[in-house]
Amino acid sequence: MMPQYTDKVLTIALLVTFFLVTSCRTVNQTSIPYQQITGWSRHSNAQVAHFLQTTDTMKSRKVAVFDCDGTLIGQRPYYLNDEALFSYMAAYRGKTDDFSKQKYALFEKFCSEKETLTDDEYYQYYARMLSGMTREEARQIGIRTYNRCYTSKVFTDMQTLITNLKRHNFEIWVVTGSLELLYQQVCAKAFGIPEDHIIGIRIKEGADGKLMDECERPLSLEAGKVNAIKKYIGVRPLLAAGNSRGDLEMMQYAQSLKIILNPNDTRALDVLGGKTLKKYWQADPNCIIEQALDIDDGYPYFCHTINLPQN
């Protein structure tokens, strides 16, 4: 009888041990709390939570990429990029030194031509406007503008999403079609993203540490965003988030989850197969479509004084 009793005890002990180990594994897998994104639907939150769960066991780099204007920070009525750069250029008006006179003449020329410029020509003007400055001086232009009139434009729902991603060991990157230097301190302050994880239009730097009058390639616009990801990140992202046609290729490049905010539903585009942006992404089961409050807040933006078209 004694051996049978021992066998029963041993069996029970093994079952208890198995139960405890299994329970611990379950607890460990779900121990990272998910913070609900309060402005999003229950279905969208469930998609994000499921995505985070299914990527938890991955051993390779986990990357999430975000557009900035209109995705992380409001872009109406004007991009932070334009408000920062053009209001800074206006400060040269009335100064008598040769450098200031040259800069302001360049700005006036830009204002007279801006409606006819190609993307490449537009960004060439950007580089010429910042040429001669240090990288830190350019960064300060961006953060000063953010502190002055863009802090209320940060999308808090996206802050929560990024918090969730960080808890699950995701690398957070920004890939923007705006000037990289103007956004580095902004994204670091508003979202805790490392400055060297902000990829945008890059201006070449001379041996003297001063910015040159030429942009680096690729320009992070449309398909160029994918080229920038390949060049500077080196990993295909699991998640990509954007708000416009300019983010299409980057979002298509994402392996798993796509997120789009405030997609246009009035303009059909050939590149979208004749669909509007909203209808295009509605057809993708791996895409979350949500809204963010992006409005003209009535602030007296400098861009309005030069009749810059509103977004």
Side-chain angles (χ1 to χ4, degrees):
M1 294 297 293
M2 189 66 178
Q4 291 178 354
Y5 176 75
T6 303
D7 288 345
K8 288 180 181 179
V9 170
L10 182 60
T11 300
I12 292 170
L14 288 172
L15 287 172
V16 169
T17 301
F18 176 78
F19 173 77
L20 288 174
V21 169
T22 303
S23 298
C24 287
R25 285 177 179 168
T26 303
V27 168
N28 287 337
Q29 288 174 356
T30 60
S31 61
I32 303 172
Y34 175 72
Q35 185 175 347
Q36 290 289 320
I37 304 172
T38 55
W40 287 16
S41 70
R42 183 178 300 178
H43 179 68
S44 294
N45 271 286
Q47 276 187 275
V48 174
H50 177 71
F51 167 75
L52 294 173
Q53 243 182 1
T54 56
T55 56
D56 261 345
T57 57
M58 292 183 64
K59 302 300 182 185
S60 56
R61 288 173 62 194
K62 299 191 297 184
V63 170
V65 295
F66 293 81
D67 169 55
C68 192
D69 299 295
T71 302
L72 297 180
I73 297 173
Q75 64 179 22
R76 293 195 176 101
Y78 301 107
Y79 298 122
L80 181 150
N81 181 102
D82 294 345
E83 179 66 15
L85 184 58
F86 302 154
S87 60
Y88 176 80
M89 289 300 295
Y92 287 115
R93 181 174 51 205
K95 294 185 178 180
T96 57
D97 62 283
D98 288 342
F99 182 81
S100 296
K101 287 192 289 186
Q102 290 172 4
K103 285 293 185 181
Y104 193 69
L106 173 67
F107 180 55
E108 286 186 310
K109 190 170 186 292
F110 164 78
C111 290
S112 68
E113 297 178 358
K114 64 182 186 298
E115 304 297 337
T116 61
L117 299 174
T118 64
D119 284 343
D120 201 71
E121 291 168 338
Y122 215 92
Y123 287 104
Q124 185 59 35
Y125 263 110
Y126 282 179
R128 292 173 67 192
M129 289 179 192
L130 290 181
S131 64
M133 303 179 68
T134 66
R135 295 176 64 84
E136 183 57 31
E137 286 170 338
R139 278 194 287 262
Q140 286 300 313
I141 295 173
I143 194 64
R144 283 200 300 267
T145 303
Y146 170 76
N147 290 335
R148 172 165 53 87
C149 53
Y150 279 82
T151 56
S152 63
K153 290 183 171 293
V154 173
F155 295 149
T156 55
D157 291 344
M158 299 305 278
Q159 286 178 318
T160 304
L161 171 62
I162 287 173
T163 295
N164 280 316
L165 288 165
K166 287 179 178 178
R167 287 175 176 171
H168 288 262
N169 299 315
F170 270 81
E171 296 177 28
I172 311 300
W173 292 76
V174 170
V175 183
T176 174
S178 293
L179 286 168
E180 178 178 289
L181 290 170
L182 298 184
Y183 284 71
Q184 286 180 325
Q185 292 191 10
V186 171
C187 292
K189 182 174 182 178
F191 296 93
I193 302 171
E195 288 189 19
D196 61 359
H197 282 203
I198 314 304
I199 299 170
I201 303 297
R202 292 189 170 186
I203 299 175
K204 291 184 178 181
E205 186 177 323
D208 60 355
K210 300 291 182 67
L211 298 176
M212 301 172 68
D213 61 358
E214 186 179 351
C215 296
E216 291 187 15
R217 305 291 169 162
L219 295 180
S220 49
L221 304 169
E222 299 181 354
K225 288 196 171 188
V226 175
N227 295 331
I229 290 170
K230 292 176 179 178
K231 181 176 181 178
Y232 299 117
I233 302 177
V235 172
R236 189 176 174 187
L238 294 173
L239 178 154
N243 74 300
S244 71
R245 180 269 171 270
D247 304 311
L248 175 67
E249 289 87 354
M250 181 175 77
M251 291 175 62
Q252 290 172 329
Y253 189 55
Q255 297 184 62
S256 299
L257 190 64
K258 295 100 171 173
I259 299 171
I260 192 158
L261 298 183
N262 304 331
N264 180 278
D265 198 27
T266 61
R267 188 171 64 255
L269 300 173
D270 290 341
V271 71
L272 303 175
K275 297 179 180 178
T276 65
L277 191 63
K278 184 174 183 178
K279 287 183 173 59
Y280 176 86
W281 285 116
Q282 281 177 331
D284 188 335
N286 295 317
C287 185
I288 291 173
I289 300 175
E290 282 292 346
Q291 300 296 311
L293 186 62
D294 192 358
I295 60 173
D296 182 350
D297 54 7
Y299 183 86
Y301 293 93
F302 174 80
C303 287
H304 181 69
T305 68
I306 60 170
N307 299 314
L308 194 74
Q310 296 189 10
N311 297 318

